[in-house]
Amino acid sequence: MTLEITKITANIGARVSGVDISRPLGPETAAAVREALSTHKALVFDDVNLDDDSHQAFVRTFGEVTTAHPTVSSVDGVPNVLPVDSERGRAANHWHTDVTFVLNPPQATTLRSITVPPYGGETLIASSAAAYRQLPEPLRRLADGLWAEHTNDYDYAVADEEVDERQAAQRAQFTSITYRTVHPVVRVHPLTGERGLFIGGFAQRLVGLPPAESRRILDLLQAYVTRPENILRHRWSPNQLVIFDNRITQHYAIDNYDGLPRRLHRVTLAGDVPVGIEGKESYSIQGDASHYTPVAA
Ligand SMILES: [Fe+2]
């Protein structure tokens, strides 16, 4: 078999074929997949035939894995696998980069489809590198100097009276440890040197600015990330694996499947501490995530 990489859109996404990822990858194949991920930001593998063990083994090809989540429980008996299940709520219908409220968020996220609804349930994945490139020069200069505080504990858009008991319990679990971390708004990718907007839903405030002005500037920058041209709209088939580079993308799970069963399993690759364009690293204000993730070199 020869590895084949086919672009899906100009700015993000490629389909990978000619490799059986349920078996150990040789070093050359692993390097080629890694390079494709750096180039295309999101990769789709079809007909993968993985279970939780071989899914984790695939991710471990590229480094250490995290546990399922800092506060949310894993698949029963499988501490490194997070169930993404419509039964557990559909809270991922907002733009975010996974777990950016910790000091070293996962460098990559993998999702494997188990149950797919008959319609809807797509995952949108956006290139924040393309967004950065598209910023007009004065906005780019502004973004270059900004740092943002990311937290898991903020007011969700849903009004309190719309939250039922189950949602309230989920939210209590999600925020059972409060995390606050300051990251550069422009992150330099450690493998490629490429710059990307590192914001997303957990970025709640800009350092040195009041909340209301922070919101307006974050919204302005975020509008570049979510331009249709920067988005891969992935329609799930059963038995697929999607990996995306969590250092330079955002994603959104569309809630458009009438609450029908939808289940994916997620395994994330432990990440490094983000670095801004002047070489300065992110720093933690609150919350210890050492039970969740090792720090990648
Ligand atoms: Fe996510």
Side-chain angles (χ1 to χ4, degrees):
M1 290 204 291
T2 31
L3 192 74
E4 229 177 282
I5 292 155
T6 314
K7 276 181 86 151
I8 306 173
T9 84
N11 285 331
I12 183 165
R15 192 158 238 109
V16 181
S17 58
V19 57
D20 179 359
I21 63 168
S22 69
R23 304 157 71 111
L25 303 189
E28 270 175 41
T29 307
V33 170
R34 170 63 96 172
E35 198 185 316
L37 181 62
S38 289
T39 305
H40 302 290
K41 322 297 190 238
L43 303 175
V44 179
F45 297 82
D46 295 311
D47 307 318
V48 290
N49 290 312
L50 297 171
D51 57 18
D52 285 336
D53 285 339
S54 51
H55 182 174
Q56 291 179 69
F58 169 69
V59 180
R60 286 180 211 274
T61 308
F62 305 101
E64 290 186 89
V65 299
T66 69
T67 59
H69 192 273
T71 55
V72 178
S73 47
S74 72
V75 170
D76 274 345
V78 195
N80 304 95
V81 179
L82 182 78
V84 177
D85 195 327
S86 52
E87 303 271 289
R88 284 229 232 168
R90 302 187 291 282
N93 60 337
H94 64 104
W95 282 104
H96 65 285
T97 301
D98 281 335
V99 203
T100 60
F101 44 84
V102 303
L103 180 61
N104 61 310
Q107 59 169 288
T109 295
T110 60
L111 293 168
R112 170 178 126 246
S113 53
I114 294 171
T115 307
V116 169
Y119 52 86
E122 299 93 339
T123 299
L124 305 181
I125 308 169
S127 169
S128 58
Y132 180 80
R133 287 196 302 270
Q134 292 157 4
L135 290 177
E137 180 60 28
L139 275 186
R140 204 181 302 164
R141 274 205 305 276
L142 171 68
D144 283 348
L146 294 173
W147 288 69
E149 185 179 316
H150 295 233
T151 181
N152 59 330
D153 190 11
Y154 63 92
D155 296 329
Y156 282 74
V158 183
D160 276 351
E161 52 271 25
E162 289 172 30
V163 176
D164 64 25
E165 225 168 274
R166 196 183 66 174
Q167 288 170 314
Q170 281 165 354
R171 174 146 167 75
Q173 185 189 38
F174 191 76
T175 56
S176 57
I177 305 170
T178 298
Y179 289 98
R180 292 164 63 211
T181 300
V182 175
H183 294 298
V185 164
V186 179
R187 180 178 186 177
V188 179
H189 195 285
L191 297 180
T192 62
E194 196 174 16
R195 295 175 180 188
L197 288 175
F198 194 64
I199 44 177
F202 300 117
Q204 287 293 303
R205 210 179 57 80
L206 293 169
V207 174
L209 287 173
E213 288 173 13
S214 294
R215 186 75 273 148
R216 288 161 75 174
I217 294 173
L218 286 167
D219 287 348
L220 178 66
L221 297 174
Q222 180 67 13
Y224 284 84
V225 178
T226 58
R227 284 181 162 187
E229 289 79 5
N230 297 340
I231 294 173
L232 172 69
R233 184 182 181 113
H234 178 66
R235 163 85 191 123
W236 288 97
S237 305
N239 218 15
Q240 283 180 321
L241 182 132
V242 170
I243 181 168
F244 49 84
D245 190 330
N246 199 54
R247 297 188 275 215
I248 203 149
T249 60
Q250 288 184 29
H251 57 283
Y252 183 116
I254 310 178
D255 182 4
N256 61 349
Y257 49 99
D258 290 331
L260 292 163
R262 176 183 186 267
R263 187 176 174 94
L264 312 173
H265 278 188
R266 173 174 117 178
V267 177
T268 49
L269 186 60
D272 49 309
V273 178
V275 176
I277 57 174
E278 281 165 3
K280 208 180 130 199
E281 287 189 350
S282 302
Y283 55 94
S284 168
I285 298 175
Q286 186 180 353
D288 176 6
S290 55
H291 64 289
Y292 164 62
T293 180
V295 180

